[in-house]
Amino acid sequence: MEEPVIEGLEPPKPAPTGLNIVVCIKQVPDSAQIRVHPVTNTIMRQGVPTIINPYDLFALEEALRLRDEYGGQVTVLSMGPPMAEDALRRALGLGADKAVLITDRRFAGSDTLATSFALATALTKIGEERPIDIVFTGKQTIDGDTAQVGPGIARRMSLTQLTYVSAIDSLDLAERSIIVRRRSEGGVQVLHSRLPCLITMLEDSNTIRRGSIQDLLRAARAPVLIWSAEDAGVEDPMKCGLRGSPTVVKRVFAPTPRAEKAQMVTVEGKKPDQVGDALLDLLFARDPKLEAVIAATAT
């Protein structure tokens, strides 16, 4: 028997099913075009194009793949200036369902500690509507290279952290478990974990899709939620921005170019052992003591 429709009220929306995934992305300057001011030793960002942190794209693709297979929704979350909305719209164009930008002058100057606090607070806010199953991040950003924000979020939210993940083998929604491959110094670890969890994805772990025409059109007009610190649920502004950041950058500088040029070794027509001998002869000629050191170590 169908429920009566009361005039003036919208029919109830069906309960969401599948995975609730949030991908944290960051808009970064294209590192290939960054320069350091020769006098002030500060990074010159003027005129430098911005991109989505490349590692975050692998995280987004993995989230979209899981959504396509198991259902659900993918929300992209970013913290940054208002212009970071461009990065979120690009993520929507690749297939993300929703986008949230937390932007506030009080976030300016945040280090990884303050950034993880702000993002974890916003994630908690997002999770109030529906519990989050997986939080994705890239393994690191190309402007900071710390790889600390993902684990920081996991620690603050008491999530199991699966870092340096190269592949997701399987996911069981009924048992709420996931099996991933994690790259370590000694090889590859296969980990079985329970949901919810936080995953940081490695580069080259998948092939990033091209957005469909429908997604690109939707991205142009889709609303992006803009949250201030209060909107995101931040109750203690002392933990945000410079005031919440114990990291102090003492100096920024560009490495001095090497005066010595690389030496080319011709290997064409030579066998592998001949190439090896030629390289060793070259090394020993440049450092006469090296051969004696290696010989002493070998004996």
Side-chain angles (χ1 to χ4, degrees), residues 25-36:
I25 68 173
K26 184 180 182 183
Q27 186 185 56
V28 296
D30 189 344
S31 60
Q33 301 188 42
I34 283 182
R35 293 173 297 158
V36 177

Side-chain angles (χ1 to χ4, degrees), residues 2-222:
E2 294 185 359
E3 295 185 0
V5 177
I6 302 175
E7 189 174 353
L9 294 179
E10 294 183 357
K13 297 180 179 179
T17 59
L19 291 164
N20 188 19
I21 303 173
V22 181
V23 184
C24 299
I25 68 173
K26 184 180 182 183
Q27 186 185 56
V28 296
D30 189 344
S31 60
Q33 301 188 42
I34 283 182
R35 293 173 297 158
V36 177
H37 195 284
V39 177
T40 62
N41 283 331
T42 56
I43 294 177
M44 301 169 63
R45 298 176 183 269
Q46 292 80 5
V48 178
T50 56
I51 58 175
I52 296 178
N53 176 47
Y55 297 112
D56 297 344
L57 290 174
F58 295 105
L60 176 59
E61 173 58 35
E62 201 62 20
L64 295 174
R65 185 186 69 80
L66 291 179
R67 179 205 59 187
D68 294 345
E69 184 172 354
Y70 297 96
Q73 69 175 16
V74 172
T75 301
V76 282
L77 169 67
S78 185
M79 185 185 87
M83 62 183 293
E85 181 178 337
D86 296 340
L88 291 170
R89 291 206 177 276
R90 190 188 168 201
L92 289 170
L94 291 173
D97 301 290
K98 298 172 62 177
V100 179
L101 171 64
I102 56 173
T103 181
D104 197 303
R105 294 177 66 87
R106 283 169 288 185
F107 294 144
S110 294
D111 66 359
T112 57
L113 189 70
T115 300
S116 64
F117 167 76
L119 290 174
T121 304
L123 286 163
T124 302
K125 180 80 172 180
I126 293 173
E128 290 177 355
E129 181 179 347
R130 183 188 168 202
I132 299 172
D133 298 301
I134 305 175
V135 177
F136 275 101
T137 71
K139 72 165 186 176
Q140 64 195 69
T141 58
I142 61 172
D143 59 347
D145 272 345
T146 65
Q148 295 174 350
V149 171
I153 294 172
R155 177 67 179 84
R156 292 180 182 279
M157 299 183 70
S158 300
L159 296 174
T160 301
Q161 55 177 297
L162 305 171
T163 56
Y164 299 100
V165 170
S166 59
I168 296 177
D169 285 347
S170 65
L171 185 148
D172 191 324
L173 266 178
E175 293 188 357
R176 297 192 55 73
S177 63
I178 190 169
I179 298 177
V180 304
R181 298 184 196 180
R182 177 183 186 272
R183 190 181 304 168
S184 65
E185 292 183 358
V188 176
Q189 299 173 334
V190 179
L191 303 178
H192 184 194
S193 175
R194 291 200 171 278
L195 301 178
C197 64
L198 181 141
I199 296 174
T200 70
M201 291 299 299
L202 283 176
E203 68 277 16
D204 299 326
S205 52
N206 50 45
T207 301
I208 300 166
R209 69 185 63 189
R210 303 183 65 173
S212 65
I213 296 295
Q214 292 79 6
D215 285 330
L216 292 172
L217 292 173
R218 181 177 57 85
R221 60 177 184 271

